Structure formats: C-alpha cells, structure tokens
Amino acid sequence: MNTHPIQTAAHKADNIAYRIGTRIHWWRENRARDKGLEEVMVANPGYGSTSWIRIIGRALYKTDGFEEIIDSMVHNDTAQGAIRGWRSFSSIAISHAPVTVTIDGNTIYHLTTNKGGVLDEKIAVQLEPGIHTITLQTQRSQPAETEVFIVPDNQKIGILSDVDDTVMVTALPRPMLAAWNSFVVDEHARIPTPGMAVLMERLTKAHPTAPIMYLSTGAWNVSPTLTRFLSRNGYPKGTFLLTDWGPTPTRWFRSGADHKVRELTRLAQEFPQMKWILIGDDGQRDPDIYNGFAVRYPQNVAAILIRNLTTGETILSKTTRVWADNRAKEITHGDLWEEANDGATFSQALKEKDLL
C-alpha cells in the first residue's frame, strides 16, 4: 500500500509537535478533498535574471473563512471590508499538489508544492529584462495570474525591507500584542510606519529596474493580507520572502533569524554584482543579521537602514534592543549604517550617499 509523503514525514519526525500537527493537517486535507472543496492558487510575485526565474505560490482549499481573502486577490480589491488575521491561518494547504506554470502564455512547466502547499521553485528559462506574466494552476483550480520581475544583468542596486515594525507597526517585541495584531485585529487597523511608503516610492523612482524584496519571518499564510496592506498604503510591489508556519521535524519553533540569513545569502549568490539597500528595525534581530551579512558579503551591501522603535514600542523589549545595539557596533563598514525613526531622515541619508 502506497503511503502519502505527508504521512511518511510525520512518522520519521523526531518532534512530537510536528508529528501531531502533520496528522491534523492530513486529516483536514482529506476532509476537504472528500467534501469537494474548491482548489485555489495564491500566486505571489516572483523574480529572476535573464537565465532563470523563481516562482512562488501556494495551493489551498477554499474554506469558508478564507474565501473572501482569495476573492479580494483575484479581483484586486484592496478596499474590501475588514478581515481578521486568524482567517489566514484557517486555510487548508494542498500538500504535494501538481501545478502547471505558464510563462507569458506559452512556455509551460510542471512543478509540485511542498508539504505546506508552498510552491517555491527556481527554473532555467531565457527571458528579457522587465515584467513578465506567469499563471499558476492546480489540476482543479482556476488559473491564478501574477508577475515575475526579470532583473537586468547590469543592475547594481537592489532593495530589501523587513515587514514587521519596518513597513507595518506590529509591536512584535511584545509577544501578546503581536499575537493580537496578527490573529485578531482586522487588516484595516494595522498602521503603516510613518514615512516608509514614501521612502520606498522614492527608492523605486531612483532605481526603476531594482528588484524589491519584502523579507519577513511571517508565514506564507499572511501573504494575501500583506499584499492588500502594501497596496492600500502605497508601497511598491515586490516579492515576499516568507516562511512556513508551525514546528519543524526537529524543533518546536522555526528560527526566523535563520530564515532571513538563508534568504540574504541566496540573494548574494544569485546576484553577485548587486549591492542591496537593507531596511529593518531594532526591535528584533535585524541589526545583527544585516551586520553579519555586511561582514560576510561587503561587496553586496550599499546601505543598512535601521528604524529605531519608539519608546512605547520598546517597552518589555529593552534587552533585545540593547543586545542588537551592541552587536551593531561590530560592523566593519560603519559608513553603511544609518539609524532613524522615520522615512524622511532615511531619505536624506541616502541622498548624501548618492543612492537617492
């Protein structure tokens, strides 16, 4: 008798939380399939070079609590009524789902999602620089269309920004409030960080062919919410670099810092000629992560912008902030480092560096 890959993963895992979570997901996915729930693809913007692209999306069943989020993305409706954050985590992923990928309406590839329904694949393909259209579709879903940005071979500047407390005020250092903001508060109540949307807009005008990345420790579940938030608040489109949610086969909690380090390293290897403007905040580990990246890849950093949290935001997180400040002093390229609490100050600093 054939065993489903997700059952095999649960059986081999050392972490009991992972085994339990995997079995619950397997049960929910079976129920969704038996009930004939509609399959949907959430297609996220990708990026690439003239010789390859990175395709990102997620296959889900259209559950009652998630359908309005999906519909808002399909119809590009950023003005839809309030949606509670917990609904993004009530979706049911389609594990190991076959996905057909169409590029510019003619080039076709056949890929497969992972256990969490995430499609994150790099494929070799020759494309001209600029924006191209890709379509993702499971065997029983409607096609989902998004864009992939092909970076010119001579592009020298890239833009990468953290999300929580950098473009969106979420108060992550305070765990209970962070949970409230992520799971309970509706997305219209989330607050954009002062001046950061204007800063990002200025950066895109100064570097119109620069790739834009939003790097976060958030789960892929929240990508529809992030898409709507960024669009509604005037942030430029970009690629989300998110992570899976829940425990791993060996750990109770995933390492957000490891995720950010891996993605930064990947970008340095994919675009060795490019210098990145890295934007983050001092509420968690961005200073340490960006510092380490600058030490390992000094040729790939143009500037590091660290938003200082307000006094209210640093309550109950002073230890984290002091530790990050001390680590930041170790950076070997001090002229790269800028700290402020608003986008306007960062804009002035980038002008002085001839980056804006």
Side-chain angles (χ1 to χ4, degrees), residues 269-322:
Q269 295 170 348
E270 290 176 337
F271 301 105
Q273 83 289 357
M274 194 179 302
K275 290 180 177 289
W276 292 89
I277 298 173
L278 305 175
I279 308 171
D281 65 87
D282 64 0
Q284 291 186 295
R285 297 186 62 181
D286 288 347
D288 185 64
I289 293 169
Y290 291 170
N291 169 68
F293 180 72
V295 170
R296 293 191 306 276
Y297 299 94
Q299 72 279 8
N300 295 118
V301 180
I304 296 174
L305 310 180
I306 298 297
R307 175 187 174 248
N308 298 135
L309 300 188
T310 65
T311 301
E313 291 168 336
T314 57
I315 294 175
L316 301 182
S317 65
K318 189 63 177 176
T319 301
T320 301
R321 181 170 180 175
V322 169

Side-chain angles (χ1 to χ4, degrees), residues 1 3 10 18 45 114 116 129 154 156 158 162 166 177 185 217 277 280 283 295 314:
M1 183 177 64
T3 303
Y18 179 84
N114 66 12
N154 61 352
K156 300 301 183 184
D162 177 46
T166 301
L177 185 55
V185 175
T217 57
I277 298 173
V295 170
T314 57

